[in-house]
């Protein structure tokens, strides 16, 4: 059963992102959406292994990848994917926020998602040599959020309608 909260909103923002080549139209593929979900699950398993081994420096990238892949599965199920010459990851976030910022399971988590993205960027591109931003409690909370977003993304991707390009 589709609920009001599962329905995408702000179609005009998505149409604008398509015109600006921030998103691309692609064939709808639930099989590809499922593959993205599976990849996201694999990244989360990697994060769990790293947390268990207290290898906190190896958590930021796979954690962000898992979130990006799970949110991308929703776009794929709509016949959309991030496009443009730069900013692919940010385009995924903006497209999902535009459509699902109201969703009770996605909207409240988006601030944490942006923080996870920022932490990943700090980890990949440190400002100072030896800068360590990883905190096990914070990473554990981020992992919980990522698991929730993955489950929600999968549920939505399996029942969402293709994006209506007539907007």
């Amino acid at each position: 059963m589709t609920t009001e909260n599962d329905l995408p909103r702000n179609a005009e923002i998505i149409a604008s992102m398509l015109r600006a080549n921030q998103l691309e139209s692609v064939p709808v593929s639930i099989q590809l959406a499922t593959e993205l979900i599976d990849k996201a699950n694999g990244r989360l398993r990697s994060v769990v292994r790293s947390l268990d081994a207290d290898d906190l420096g190896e958590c930021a990238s796979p954690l962000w990848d898992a979130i990006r892949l799970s949110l991308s599965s929703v776009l794929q199920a709509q016949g959309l994917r991030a496009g443009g010459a730069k900013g692919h990851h940010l385009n995924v976030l903006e497209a999902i926020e535009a459509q699902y910022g109201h969703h009770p399971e996605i909207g409240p988590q988006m601030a944490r998602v942006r923080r996870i993205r920022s932490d990943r960027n700090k980890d990949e591109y440190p400002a100072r040599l030896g800068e360590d931003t990883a905190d096990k409690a914070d990473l554990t909370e981020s992992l919980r959020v990522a698991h929730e977003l993955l489950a929600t993304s999968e549920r939505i991707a399996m029942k969402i309608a293709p994006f209506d390009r007539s907007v």
Side-chain angles (χ1 to χ4, degrees):
M1 180 174 104
T2 301
T3 68
E4 175 64 25
N5 286 325
D6 290 334
L7 300 174
R9 296 186 182 169
N10 295 321
E12 63 280 350
I13 293 173
I14 301 304
S16 175
M17 291 179 79
L18 283 162
R19 287 189 299 275
N21 295 319
Q22 294 170 312
L23 293 175
E24 300 173 355
S25 287
V26 296
V28 170
S29 173
I30 298 304
Q31 183 177 358
L32 182 53
T34 300
E35 186 176 313
L36 292 169
I37 294 289
D38 291 344
K39 285 182 180 183
N41 269 312
R43 299 306 195 284
L44 291 180
R45 286 191 299 274
S46 175
V47 173
V48 168
R49 284 190 302 273
S50 295
L51 278 173
D52 288 347
D54 284 328
D55 191 1
L56 305 184
E58 292 300 315
C59 293
S61 281
L63 186 60
W64 167 245
D65 285 346
I67 290 170
R68 178 183 50 80
L69 289 165
S70 64
L71 297 177
S72 293
S73 73
V74 173
L75 297 178
Q76 178 60 52
Q78 292 180 279
L80 301 169
R81 82 168 164 216
K86 62 180 180 175
H88 286 77
H89 293 194
L90 190 56
N91 293 343
V92 170
L93 280 184
E94 289 179 357
I96 293 298
E97 283 180 322
Q99 296 185 93
Y100 292 99
H102 69 284
H103 193 283
E105 296 172 84
I106 294 176
Q109 304 293 7
M110 292 312 287
R112 172 61 80 161
V113 167
R114 285 193 174 271
R115 182 169 170 205
I116 291 167
R117 180 177 179 269
S118 175
D119 288 348
R120 181 256 181 205
N121 287 346
K122 288 176 189 172
D123 185 61
E124 293 287 316
Y125 312 104
R128 292 179 297 281
L129 186 63
E131 182 177 41
D132 186 10
T133 59
D135 174 76
K136 192 166 189 173
D138 193 47
L139 287 167
T140 301
E141 174 61 13
S142 293
L143 179 61
R144 183 193 65 75
V145 167
H147 276 293
E148 287 178 4
L149 283 173
L150 180 60
T152 302
S153 295
E154 182 175 21
R155 184 175 50 75
I156 291 172
M158 295 306 120
K159 64 183 176 186
I160 195 169
F163 179 72
D164 180 2
R165 285 159 185 77
S166 66
V167 175

